[in-house]
Amino acid sequence: MDYPRLIIDTSVLKNNVQKLSEICHSNGIELVGVTKLTLGNPQIGKIMRLNGVDKIGESRLKNIVNLYKNGVPGPYQLLRIPMPSEIPFAVGIVDEFLVSMPETAYLIDRHAQEIDRNVSLIYMIDVGDLREGVWFEKAKEEIIEVANNLRFVHLRGIGTNVGCYGGVLPTEENMSMLLRIKDELEKELGRQLIVSGGSTVTLKLLEDRKLPKGINQFRVGEGIILGTDATGDRDIPYLRQDTVILEAEVIEVDYKPSVPVGEIGKDAFGRTPHFEDRGYRKRVILAVGEQDVKPDGLKPLEDGLQILHASSDHLIVDTTESNREFKVGDIVRFRMSYGCALRAFTSPYVEKVFI
Ligand SMILES: *Cc1c(COP(=O)(O)O)cnc(C)c1O
């Protein structure tokens, strides 16, 4: 019943949280620890908050409710722009909203006032990646208008998101643009604003000492949990990559040709398979599939394994180059990409084990 499973090493996770908190705090940056990769796992949220993270960031309101019910200390930041339909409930539990449209800000304002609970808003500005945010060319006018029309809630600052749709990287240029908009807004509004500068991918600027002064909030998930940066395509050198390991069990060991026998149609996912004739190969089948992981994001922790294919429940691995003699019941261990870990954490079929 226990496989496939994720082994989450709490001491490694602690190490990553503490390291990153130190780095952010010594640079005057508030650190929002993002749990959405883990289905809002309360144990992970707790480790984050008790080891230096200032605030929990989540994209899903349901996850925030779960974290709250399990005693994970807030404050909570809702990362995804709220749906109008969830705002009446959200104002009761979320402490900081990211918003990108005046009507959303006004809805939050109205509903927060109704229950007399003050919350903060961070107005998102699109500096080029083309996901959420008011387009930078019209940001100043829109944000001033909103700030002047809010009656109850607090416009705490501005923010941006990069690396998600366009794969746009954070640079000195786009971060400086954000700071110029902030300066103009501060002048108009007569008070200070914070600047929420990005996610895991933005850490690189900080490391390279290229982050302009004034960016004072980071929202980081992947870096803390996996120690990697998918958009920047790298391991983060001062963080560890072995916090989360996937284990899967061998259910068949065999020796078969590398090219199927028979007429070839499409595979179970509508893909046309392609085969190279490498003769007979040693292979194993693991009891893990598309319902548990994103197979192209699996990185075996041992040499000599090549992932051939996955269907919903089966992963076929070529083991010809491996020195290990596989038997049914053996366990194979993997590191995972962001997308793969996301699927594993959110799959009800994958056990989560904390050590
Ligand atoms: C997911 C998300 C983050 C965190 O991204 P990571 O790459 O996991 O660090 C930050 N901000 C927003 C708006 C997000 O949706």
Side-chain angles (χ1 to χ4, degrees):
M1 289 295 283
D2 285 318
Y3 297 96
R5 66 184 192 182
L6 292 179
I7 304 291
I8 301 140
D9 188 325
T10 52
S11 65
V12 178
L13 180 62
K14 247 184 227 174
N15 166 82
N16 281 1
V17 174
Q18 287 168 353
K19 263 265 164 56
L20 198 60
S21 302
E22 267 169 40
I23 292 175
C24 285
H25 294 159
S26 65
N27 284 281
I29 296 169
E30 174 184 270
L31 179 60
V32 180
V34 174
T35 50
K36 71 185 186 204
L37 168 63
T38 70
L39 195 65
N41 186 289
Q43 267 170 283
I44 292 181
K46 237 172 242 173
I47 290 171
M48 285 187 178
R49 273 299 274 125
L50 299 180
N51 287 280
V53 151
D54 301 289
K55 193 173 274 182
I56 297 286
E58 245 306 328
S59 50
R60 306 276 173 154
L61 195 53
K62 281 186 179 158
N63 288 350
I64 293 183
V65 171
N66 190 43
L67 289 159
Y68 178 81
K69 281 189 178 154
N70 282 282
V72 177
Y76 299 111
Q77 183 186 67
L78 184 63
L79 294 168
R80 188 171 66 185
I81 311 301
M83 295 179 264
S85 59
E86 69 187 351
I87 288 173
F89 179 78
V91 292
I93 188 167
V94 173
D95 301 286
E96 192 160 280
F97 288 91
L98 308 186
V99 297
S100 66
M101 297 202 69
E103 43 272 60
T104 311
Y106 299 148
L107 262 180
I108 294 170
D109 193 35
R110 182 150 65 76
H111 286 283
Q113 186 167 25
E114 264 169 28
I115 62 163
D116 196 26
R117 182 167 181 271
N118 202 358
V119 299
S120 347
L121 302 184
I122 292 185
Y123 214 95
M124 297 299 275
I125 299 175
D126 186 345
V127 297
D129 190 55
L130 300 182
R131 203 177 73 176
E132 75 273 43
V134 51
W135 189 244
F136 65 88
E137 289 167 333
K138 56 177 187 146
K140 184 184 154 194
E141 297 75 59
E142 185 169 309
I143 295 172
I144 287 170
E145 159 114 16
V146 169
N148 288 332
N149 283 320
L150 290 174
R151 290 170 307 180
F152 187 75
V153 302
H154 177 63
L155 180 74
R156 183 170 180 236
I158 58 174
T160 198
N161 191 64
V162 287
C164 277
Y165 172 73
V168 167
L169 293 168
T171 56
E172 278 179 276
E173 290 71 38
N174 54 29
M175 289 296 124
S176 301
M177 184 209 304
L178 205 57
L179 288 167
R180 278 197 302 277
I181 297 172
K182 181 201 83 147
D183 288 340
E184 291 173 16
L185 287 171
E186 283 184 340
K187 227 175 271 158
E188 290 277 339
L189 299 174
R191 62 188 178 84
Q192 291 200 314
L193 297 172
I194 72 144
V195 183
S196 188
S199 54
T200 296
V201 66
T202 317
L203 293 172
K204 187 75 167 62
L205 284 182
L206 189 58
E207 286 159 40
D208 296 347
R209 309 197 160 279
K210 287 186 177 153
L211 186 78
K213 273 237 155 358
I215 304 285
N216 43 21
Q217 184 188 73
F218 271 17
R219 314 172 305 264
V220 179
E222 183 188 0
I224 293 176
I225 295 156
L226 299 176
T228 54
D229 165 9
T231 308
D233 192 23
R234 66 186 187 118
D235 288 348
I236 299 169
Y238 51 89
L239 298 177
R240 284 177 59 174
Q241 287 77 39
D242 54 348
T243 307
V244 190
I245 298 299
L246 177 89
E247 294 184 341
E249 185 168 352
V250 175
I251 54 170
E252 183 179 301
V253 181
D254 52 32
Y255 186 66
K256 288 186 185 177
S258 36
V259 179
V261 176
E263 254 180 79
I264 308 287
K266 299 210 166 176
D267 78 358
F269 290 86
R271 304 168 291 210
T272 305
H274 174 80
F275 302 95
E276 184 193 342
D277 191 356
R278 307 173 73 192
Y280 271 67
R281 307 287 291 177
K282 290 207 265 184
R283 343 172 312 158
V284 299
I285 298 180
L286 298 175
V288 66
E290 293 274 359
Q291 298 201 72
D292 317 285
V293 293
K294 202 166 161 287
D296 62 5
L298 286 174
K299 306 164 200 173
L301 282 173
E302 60 192 288
D303 291 334
L305 303 191
Q306 188 197 355
I307 294 167
L308 293 178
H309 191 261
S311 47
S312 309
D313 314 290
H314 298 79
L315 186 80
I316 307 174
V317 182
D318 186 317
T319 60
T320 313
E321 312 292 328
S322 167
N323 299 325
R324 189 168 156 193
E325 277 308 321
F326 285 92
K327 310 182 299 302
V328 163
D330 278 357
I331 302 303
V332 182
R333 307 171 80 232
F334 301 89
R335 258 180 70 180
M336 291 167 292
S337 69
Y338 184 84
C340 185
L342 176 72
R343 195 172 296 171
F345 268 110
T346 51
S347 170
Y349 300 109
V350 180
E351 295 289 322
K352 284 82 187 175
V353 180
F354 287 81
I355 56 166

